[in-house]
Amino acid sequence: MSKLDEFALIQFLNHKKQSEELQQKLGVIKGIGDDAAVVQHSPGSQLVMTCDTMVETIHFNPYTMLDEDVGYKALASNLSDIAAMGAVPKHALISLSIPKHYSSSRLKKIYKGLYECANEFEVAIIGGDTSKSPKHLNISVTLTGEVETNQALLRSNAKVNDLLFVTGFLGCSAAGLHYLLEKQERHLTSAKLSLDIQPLVQAHRRPIPQMKAGRLLLESKRCHSLNDISDGLASEAHEISEASKVGILINEDMIPIHPTLRAYCDLVGKSPLDWILYGGEDYHLLGTVSRSNVEYLQSRFQRQGIPFFILGEVIDQKGVHIKDQYGNIKKIQKEGYNHFN
Ligand SMILES: Nc1ncnc2c1ncn2[C@@H]1O[C@H](COP(=O)(O)OP(=O)(O)O)[C@@H](O)[C@H]1O
Ligand SMILES: Cc1ncc(C[n+]2csc(CCOP(=O)(O)OP(=O)(O)O)c2C)c(N)n1
Ligand SMILES: [Mg+2]
Ligand SMILES: [Mg+2]
Ligand SMILES: [Mg+2]
């Protein structure tokens, strides 16, 4: 038996299992292979659909997350995929599998966090499903969104000579996770955290889906490709590179490093670059834009108070490459968070 690999498995499960005709007949504009699917809806708009799961022990445990955070992040991670299409979120269905030992007060806390996120980003929770689980809690969210016809921002449109941008600091969530796993204290509240660690833990527990940035990018009509960062910069850059059949060159000197991340890395002897490239769960948007449109987008983002960092470019040599401070270029592998690895 060969070993499981997440990306190979998804490819295998879905490779030519349905005819193009059937998908076309059912209005599929973009099926498997992006942050969300796009299907024909009404004349002016298309429906966007995504689902993501959080599993206790894999995505969270009592040392890393409070119950409210689990609910909040389960929806926030789905919102991030809707943002990565440039779409507006609409309706959500929640599926819960609950082990016997969970109390109703814990579930109420999970739902408190879930509704907090839903109300903040104007998502209607319209249903779901509930079952018992043998051991661990599992929360799955299916989220819909709406986008103007044929305007969804795909991974597959990056053009050689584009510049690569990101909408915020990376690596903070992975550093926050590292801190929480080392600390080994159950249900650690934010009030008990020192100020210098709070931004990292907050980035891990309460990621902010980049809804405004996604819409700004779509409405500007100047963004070529877009992806959200759930598995790390390296992995998501590879996804753009593969889908667009181009290469990506990241300039190490241009990668923004949050001062709190730098300070924490100095303290624990870790490299910020490792967490930035391979950590994941940042939920910022990574995309490409032609050089002539960078200034325009930079000023639009600045006016909205949203970060917009240029960190590389699109090249015609396949793969993802990184240039260090001495000008040396090396290839980076598609590593990062991969279930089963
Ligand atoms: N079990 C599955 N069956 C069918 N499609 C899947 C399955 N798991 C993932 N996919 C599809 O594979 C693509 C990649 O999924 P994923 O890596 O989870 O994306 P993301 O990181 O944006 O959430 C998406 O288009 C998703 O819908
Ligand atoms: C206890 C614990 N261990 C490890 C992690 C790290 N982790 C788990 S899943 C994941 C990647 C994101 O989740 P995934 O299910 O791959 O989401 P998707 O890419 O489908 O959006 C990371 C970095 C964590 N969040 N919690
Ligand atoms: Mg995604
Ligand atoms: Mg997913
Ligand atoms: Mg993933």
Side-chain angles (χ1 to χ4, degrees):
M1 275 286 275
S2 60
K3 217 173 139 284
L4 273 179
D5 170 82
E6 181 188 352
F7 301 113
L9 177 71
I10 293 174
Q11 221 167 28
F12 168 78
L13 286 176
N14 302 294
H15 187 65
K16 295 197 168 57
K17 296 282 190 290
Q18 288 196 308
S19 67
E20 293 246 345
E21 291 79 53
L22 180 60
Q23 294 241 333
Q24 252 174 31
K25 185 178 143 194
L26 295 172
V28 180
I29 306 293
K30 178 80 212 176
I32 293 161
D34 218 299
D35 295 293
V38 183
V39 299
Q40 199 53 54
H41 187 31
S42 52
S45 73
Q46 289 170 340
L47 181 66
V48 179
M49 298 173 81
T50 187
C51 74
D52 264 318
T53 297
M54 277 177 70
V55 180
E56 190 172 17
T57 72
I58 305 296
H59 296 85
F60 64 94
N61 67 34
Y63 302 108
T64 65
M65 300 279 276
L66 305 177
D67 292 328
E68 286 92 336
D69 299 324
V70 171
Y72 190 96
K73 189 167 171 178
L75 182 55
S77 64
N78 277 273
L79 279 164
S80 177
D81 282 320
I82 294 291
M85 307 302 286
V88 178
K90 293 283 174 186
H91 304 102
L93 295 161
I94 317 298
S95 163
L96 274 181
S97 306
I98 310 163
K100 242 191 183 149
H101 64 82
Y102 260 70
S103 64
S104 63
S105 75
R106 288 194 70 183
L107 291 163
K108 282 179 187 159
K109 286 183 191 162
I110 291 173
Y111 263 66
K112 184 167 175 268
L114 181 79
Y115 274 106
E116 214 181 298
C117 186
N119 293 336
E120 188 176 338
F121 294 99
E122 297 197 343
V123 171
I125 309 282
I126 53 165
D129 189 34
T130 305
S131 91
K132 191 158 88 177
S133 157
K135 209 160 175 187
H136 299 297
L137 188 90
N138 186 324
I139 176 164
S140 274
V141 176
T142 301
L143 180 63
T144 69
E146 197 176 2
V147 71
E148 293 81 353
T149 298
N150 297 339
Q151 299 297 306
L153 297 169
L154 306 179
R155 296 171 179 175
S156 51
N157 253 334
K159 311 264 184 267
V160 172
N161 218 23
D162 276 358
L163 291 183
L164 181 74
F165 67 82
V166 68
T167 60
F169 291 99
L170 306 177
C172 295
S173 169
L177 175 64
H178 178 269
Y179 173 83
L180 292 163
L181 290 174
E182 291 283 304
K183 183 95 175 148
Q184 283 284 302
E185 196 175 319
R186 286 173 165 261
H187 315 297
L188 183 66
T189 59
S190 291
K192 284 199 197 151
L193 295 169
S194 63
L195 280 180
D196 51 344
I197 209 71
Q198 274 182 14
L200 304 180
V201 167
Q202 189 74 1
H204 183 71
R205 289 179 167 172
R206 297 269 173 151
I208 302 170
Q210 298 295 297
M211 312 316 295
K212 268 196 190 153
R215 286 303 289 166
L216 199 164
L217 289 163
L218 181 134
E219 282 162 7
S220 74
K221 296 191 191 284
R222 292 165 199 235
C223 176
H224 282 164
S225 65
L226 199 63
N227 201 0
D228 77 318
I229 302 184
S230 59
D231 300 325
L233 173 60
S235 185
E236 312 295 344
H238 267 282
E239 283 177 354
I240 292 179
S241 149
E242 285 162 14
S244 300
K245 300 187 171 56
V246 294
I248 285 179
L249 176 63
I250 296 169
N251 191 331
E252 195 181 323
D253 279 346
M254 293 168 86
I255 299 176
I257 300 180
H258 195 289
T260 312
L261 174 66
R262 196 186 287 284
Y264 183 68
C265 284
D266 287 346
L267 194 71
V268 297
K270 297 273 180 192
S271 135
L273 190 62
D274 260 12
W275 277 331
I276 288 168
L277 288 173
Y278 309 116
E281 296 183 288
D282 301 298
Y283 300 109
H284 280 295
L285 300 179
L286 178 73
T288 74
V289 57
S290 65
R291 282 167 200 263
S292 57
N293 285 323
V294 164
E295 240 178 76
Y296 171 83
L297 279 178
Q298 256 162 349
S299 72
R300 289 289 310 270
F301 271 71
Q302 199 172 15
R303 256 181 281 155
Q304 294 284 324
I306 311 169
F308 186 83
F309 301 116
I310 297 295
L311 71 167
E313 62 193 295
V314 179
I315 58 176
D316 59 8
Q317 274 161 294
K318 293 281 156 62
V320 178
H321 314 255
I322 191 160
K323 181 157 78 179
D324 70 15
Q325 61 196 100
Y326 309 106
N328 300 319
I329 296 178
K330 64 169 197 240
K331 249 189 158 174
I332 47 179
Q333 300 308 312
K334 191 175 182 180
E335 280 164 8
Y337 198 87
N338 183 331
H339 291 277
F340 320 120
N341 266 5

